[in-house]
Amino acid sequence: MRIEEDVKLDYADVLFRPKRSTLSSRKDVELKRTYKFKYSNHQWSGIPLIAANMDGVGEIEVAKNLAKFEIMTCLTKQHDLKTIKRNSSVKGIHQHLILSTGTSAEDYKRLNEIMKECSFFEFICIDIANGYSDHFSKFVGSVREKYPTKTIIAGNVVTADMTQELVMNGADIVKVGIGPGSVCTTRLQTGVGYPQLSAVIECADAAHGLGAHIIADGGCTCPGDVAKAFGGGGDFVMLGGMFAGHEEGGGKKVKKNGSQLIEFYGSSSNTAITKHYGGLSDYRSSEGKKVQLKYRGKIKDTVQNILGGLRSSCTYVGAPSLKQLSKCTTFVRVNQQYNDTFGQE
Ligand code: 5GP
């Protein structure tokens, strides 16, 4: 047994130190980024936020609305060829869409079917809860071999060694986060995890050293956390809970005590596994939960709120663009990030 003594941080453990700035207005802050990916050589431009591949979030209706802001959506694994072909608008927004897949033979078959007929998809996200298995790295390698010009995202991991391993096996982008998610119970169920800001800082450093990129996935609860994820070196930030509960997600609405609520659940929750796979096998337990959120209306208002927060963060630290944010970032460690006397809005 070994204990690592150095402190690892979550978003709530730090704040940005404000810095002098010559920016006159937050409206001048450029949030768009352009990335060229290591293996695919594909160039992407847009605002590097991603709606997570979770039910009620990674949906085509959400994607259509986020694409207007040049924000990406990672479609859930339940989007098969039939569903995609039925939605003629998909092709028009393909540059902001990501297909996701697991690593089973059935997943691989579904991926190949879609890619054969809809070769316009540029991004493939190979997504499993625990990205540390040898089988996973090998799977990433075989997808890279089959699709040399597609941008491959692989995850999830939280350490530099495994980020490098996935990049060496063909990932252009590594997805980072184990346990920080809003409806994730992995940390309770297994005791496994890594504070998300430190995971982002360490994995970004590892990926950037090899010319690859990372996605900071999970754990953002407010626009300030999104800014901290970029400040820590995240190239993209993936949001589940912050993009959940909106009209476009199509989630089940319920009325309770006069207010309208909407269901949201983790991809490894009992609810999701029963819905998509007919129930949990007897050797595994659920690692996600179901919650009821206040219905939040149209997603565009939430997006504008997040982008407004991000522009303001950049202005406070003197970054003329999102690209400059991590260079301009000095975090201060704090014991309390927010005065909670009257709760949150
Ligand atoms: P959020 O933005 O809601 O904090 O986090 C979203 C991320 O949580 C997702 O992109 C995914 O990586 C992770 N996630 C989603 N559902 C589950 C689940 O049921 N269990 C676990 N362990 N993680 C989940």
Side-chain angles (χ1 to χ4, degrees):
M1 196 280 292
R2 211 168 73 86
I3 295 184
E4 280 184 24
E5 296 283 359
D6 52 329
V7 177
K8 302 293 176 188
L9 302 167
D10 271 310
Y11 296 130
D13 295 323
V14 301
L15 288 167
F16 286 101
R17 172 200 281 271
K19 291 182 182 165
R20 293 193 60 184
S21 153
T22 52
L23 289 164
S24 50
S25 161
R26 65 188 74 174
K27 106 173 169 299
D28 300 330
V29 173
E30 175 60 84
L31 295 181
K32 232 171 117 166
R33 298 236 32 199
T34 296
Y35 297 129
K36 193 161 190 184
F37 301 111
K38 179 179 171 83
Y39 294 106
S40 65
N41 251 325
H42 158 224
Q43 186 168 297
W44 174 87
S45 291
I47 297 181
L49 295 175
I50 306 175
N53 46 351
M54 301 171 72
D55 287 354
V57 179
E59 309 287 358
I60 292 174
E61 268 317 296
V62 170
K64 284 196 230 165
N65 284 278
L66 294 183
K68 294 178 191 158
F69 293 89
E70 299 182 274
I71 289 174
M72 305 195 82
T73 301
C74 191
L75 296 174
T76 67
K77 291 175 192 166
Q78 278 63 49
H79 286 79
D80 57 10
L81 183 58
K82 230 164 63 195
T83 318
I84 291 167
K85 278 165 100 180
R86 216 182 317 124
N87 282 278
S88 51
S89 48
V90 163
K91 192 170 181 185
I93 54 167
H94 74 274
Q95 67 275 35
H96 300 303
L97 282 178
I98 304 168
L99 259 186
S100 33
T101 180
T103 57
S104 71
E106 210 171 294
D107 291 325
Y108 193 52
K109 187 168 155 253
R110 179 188 140 270
L111 171 72
N112 291 334
E113 269 169 18
I114 300 175
M115 293 308 286
K116 196 165 164 210
E117 292 215 24
C118 308
S119 56
F120 52 78
F121 279 105
E122 300 279 5
F123 293 89
I124 300 170
C125 177
I126 311 169
D127 190 21
I128 62 171
N130 170 9
Y132 281 77
S133 77
D134 204 28
H135 162 74
F136 182 61
S137 304
K138 290 199 177 106
F139 186 82
V140 172
S142 55
V143 177
R144 164 55 62 216
E145 213 167 285
K146 185 156 173 71
Y147 297 107
T149 62
K150 299 298 174 187
T151 300
I152 294 177
I153 300 167
N156 278 19
V157 300
V158 283
T159 49
D161 55 339
M162 206 58 203
T163 300
Q164 285 160 344
E165 162 94 6
L166 292 178
V167 172
M168 300 311 268
N169 276 282
D172 296 283
I173 307 172
V174 175
K175 196 150 72 77
V176 175
I178 292 184
S182 59
V183 282
C184 165
T185 56
T186 295
R187 291 178 183 181
L188 295 178
Q189 197 59 21
T190 67
V192 176
Y194 208 94
Q196 183 66 354
L197 176 65
S198 290
V200 168
I201 293 170
E202 293 168 25
C203 296
D205 186 53
H208 295 165
L210 294 171
H213 293 83
I214 69 149
I215 298 173
D217 174 22
C220 289
T221 62
C222 55
D225 290 347
V226 178
K228 289 173 190 175
F230 285 121
D235 302 295
F236 294 88
V237 178
M238 181 173 265
L239 303 173
M242 286 180 74
F243 278 155
H246 295 93
E247 182 61 35
E248 296 83 351
K252 190 159 117 199
K253 286 184 203 145
V254 283
K255 273 238 158 90
K256 208 175 186 177
N257 303 331
S259 54
Q260 210 166 28
L261 305 176
I262 201 160
E263 271 182 3
F264 176 53
Y265 48 85
S267 309
S268 310
S269 65
N270 242 323
T271 310
I273 294 187
T274 303
K275 186 168 175 196
H276 301 307
Y277 307 103
L280 282 167
S281 326
D282 53 11
Y283 60 87
R284 56 179 288 190
S285 61
S286 146
E287 286 184 24
K289 62 185 173 188
K290 175 165 84 174
V291 296
Q292 292 184 323
L293 310 178
K294 215 165 129 192
Y295 170 63
R296 291 152 87 186
K298 299 261 185 240
I299 204 164
K300 80 169 182 354
D301 300 322
T302 297
V303 171
Q304 268 155 3
N305 186 47
I306 297 172
L307 302 188
L310 265 180
R311 286 194 191 93
S312 191
S313 311
C314 289
T315 316
Y316 269 114
V317 301
S321 67
L322 189 58
K323 186 176 179 188
Q324 311 286 326
L325 180 58
S326 84
K327 289 188 198 97
C328 296
T329 294
T330 303
F331 286 129
V332 283
R333 278 185 60 196
V334 296
N335 293 319
Q336 184 191 349
Q337 71 159 343
Y338 180 68
N339 178 343
D340 211 13
T341 311
F342 299 117
Q344 291 187 25
E345 257 191 298

